[in-house]
Amino acid sequence: MMRKLANDLVRNKAIYFMVLPVVLYYFIFKYLPMYGSIIAFKDFSIAKGVWGSPWVGLDNFKDFFDSIYFWRVLRNTLLLSFYQLLFGFPAPIILAILLNEIRLKLFKNVVQTVVYLPHFVSLIVICGLILDFTNREGIISTMIEFFGGERTTLLGDAANFRFIYVFSSIWQELGWSSIIFLAALSGINPELYEAARVDGAGRFRQMWSITLPGLIPIIMILLILRIGGLMDIGFEKIILLYNPNTYETADIISSFVYRKGLAEGQDYSFTSAVGLFQAGINFVLLISANWFSRRVSGNRLW
Amino acid sequence: MKKSIFTRIALLLAIVLMFGGIATACSSGKSEQPANNAATGNGAKENAGKGDKSAEPVKLKLWHPLNPNAQAVVQSLSDVAMVKEWEKKTNVKFDFEHPTGTGADAQQQFGVMVASNVLPDLIVWNMSNFQGGPAKLFQDGTIIKLNDLIDQHAPNLKKILEEYPLIAKQIKADNGDIYVFPNLKVGDHGKYKTFSGQMIRKDWLDELGLQLPETIDEWEIVLKTIKEKKGVIPYTSEKDMLLGSKSSMDFIGAYGIGKDFYLNGDKIQYGPLQPAFKDYLARMQKWYKEGLIDPDYASNDNKAKEAKITSGKAAATFGYIGGSMGAWLPSLQQADPKAMLSAAQYPVMNKGDEPKFTETGWDYSNTGAVITSANKNPEATIKALDYLFSEEGAMLKNFGIDGTTYTLVDGQPKFTDLIMKNPDGLPIGQAMAKNFIANYPFPGPDDDRYNDQYYSLDAQKEAVKAYAKFAKNSASVLIPPVSLTPEEASEFSKIMTDVDTYRSEIVTKLIMGTSSLDSFDKAIEQFKKMGIERAIEIQQAAFDRFNKR
């Protein structure tokens, strides 16, 4: 085994050299920082450093699990994430398929540019827009009133938070995420379509029998990746949109940790512990999603 | 073995990538700022200094997050005229290091700096940014103790500390050590300690024949009348100053309780645990229901709240004399020349009572300079800092250069047009920050006479006096700057993060009427479960230690 490897190293020096930067990159930026994760099991103080701080075992994890907000933030994190997956994942696929059907080049380009735009606008600005649109005088409230509803501040009500959050995320990322699917579509052999037409398949039949199956591998791979990131929702958008009235549905693990670790407490150990907890759950989800996909569709990451 | 060209290129690429990667890895996290090589008139030394003329100036590295007023106009404090003069007078040369970004960013950079043990000579900041305070920094060996240095080399500060034992108490640690060279409001020109409070549309009050409200009932009548006659939002607030939360800036004081921890005699108490807090909530719930409070108060951000005031959609709110009144009034008067804002006192329960719970600060603003263990010239450093407490230095710090930024009229400093009507069109606050350090905390004394001119509108001049009127009452309820031990601090913040979250939620629901008043009893139980009593104990212990200083 070792001999084989040594031989291979000598024989394919150049290829190994080419992969070296990548390996180094991962080692330096992804693996070395893991050393810092041990502060999750310590009572970390900057002055004492990572190594000098005293060990406290699982105390930081206990603190998190014992917090009266643990179940709420966990539930909110998973629900928001799940809704984003449920509604946000199919949207760009549908958009890509629809765009693919457009024959008019100019129109297609205009549509693409318009739906890409929100992705390039800074999150702060986006949230400012959302707040403006949904407040009592905002455009959405005006529409609601026009249809006979009542003017309210939509983000003042916990019941609306998830919808607004998920919907605005779709609006932000719809265009951008459709690019990869468009790329996959351009890789489908046009002869297949021709053959289908000869066999008398209409537009929808072609979509169903050729376009969609052509997309399945990339869909599955992205889906697995998405499931593996189910626990990490960034806190930025949340803390820009929530207020104590909506904590009930809006407060998630990362915003809770932000308040505890950065805004008030500066409790780095606690935040690392929660980070590890999230990573653990993500890891389990990723493995099971991959296993499941392999069993069901044969597509897999590894 | 012949290498193909492709292999060579790949090799080259690999090497470049590798080193490139490592190089970027090393350079991140260091916020290197271009050295400021503005010539600071080193050659021209006038004969007016205290330092030894023949000696080279002592070089001192000073770490200090720059105030936004100054950020807008200078790269670094070295460009401020007053600092150049200060350096000349005291024969030092500061090399300023200003971290970039927000408070949290600065905190991280500070953490990295301490961890790497590459320390500047002195640090100027608000001490609340250090968890465990300066006492912890001293324990960790980051900073040094200043008692002897002040005793021997800081005659001006020493005099103040002897004259005002309460100030000495504020800047000392529990064991009597002094770690901070403070920013103080002291003496005849340090009376203003309140710069914010309730503000209300005076022109509407006059129009409706109403007086400025004093009691909570009068407030209610005023707000009701405004609602009925004017059809605007009577009282507005914002989510960062949530009604009934620890950062609330409203009517809790009328019920004789503080919004957070406060003093009752020499006992520390927690506002929400008092029975009166429920009365306050009941009143707020009623007001909200009757539309006296902005229905969106909990989701307004600061911008939304300000827009409501400046567009005449709301009549009263909490604000700052400089930043709020000074900005709102001009824009209000553009639309309606008659518009007028007036400072209203915090409400009391019975006619004739004096408000106690006002937004008043202590003599020591909690900002100051700490000297690190890396400092090789602590003596020269202390002398330079103490100069700011001398008569000459205090004038220099607060008013800048005589004849350039101010002139003496009847013995009182008056700012010149360079400040009041800046030729480059800078707002007053920025013109000040460009020339001297008066409108943000910095070691040395603050001087009210700068405020008198900074507040250029009559309404502001009246407001600062109105807010100062009852400021002394707050001394009986305001917890002094006590210090928690690092262990206490971490336990305390663990308890309070949860309590504060829970409190702001429950109180908001109550005021908005989505839950009933009785549910607050359950909330109190929950506070107790979270350890609020332990938090009170911690505060009490710290306060008792403070009293023994």
Side-chain angles (χ1 to χ4, degrees), chain A residues 59-60 62-70 73 239 242 251-272 274, chain B residues 131 489-501 530:
Chain A
D59 280 6
N60 290 311
K62 274 207 204 72
D63 273 351
F64 180 46
F65 299 146
D66 290 347
S67 162
I68 65 155
Y69 293 120
F70 171 70
V73 294
I239 62 169
Y242 77 176
D251 198 16
I252 58 169
I253 295 177
S254 56
S255 56
F256 172 76
V257 165
Y258 164 81
R259 280 204 310 277
K260 216 162 164 109
L262 289 171
E264 300 176 36
Q266 294 175 49
D267 191 345
Y268 298 122
S269 288
F270 177 81
T271 43
S272 307
V274 178
Chain B
Q131 213 191 354
S490 106
E491 192 183 359
F492 182 76
S493 80
K494 262 188 189 129
I495 296 171
M496 290 318 287
T497 337
D498 277 1
V499 168
D500 289 335
T501 302
M530 288 171 165

Side-chain angles (χ1 to χ4, degrees), chain A residues 200-211:
Chain A
R203 288 289 284 275
F204 281 99
R205 185 70 214 205
Q206 285 174 35
M207 232 191 272
W208 183 250
S209 303
I210 297 165
T211 312

Side-chain angles (χ1 to χ4, degrees), chain A residues 220-230 286 289 301:
Chain A
M220 283 320 286
I221 282 174
L222 284 174
L223 188 62
I224 295 168
L225 285 174
R226 271 291 280 273
I227 290 173
L230 210 56
L286 184 68
L301 283 178

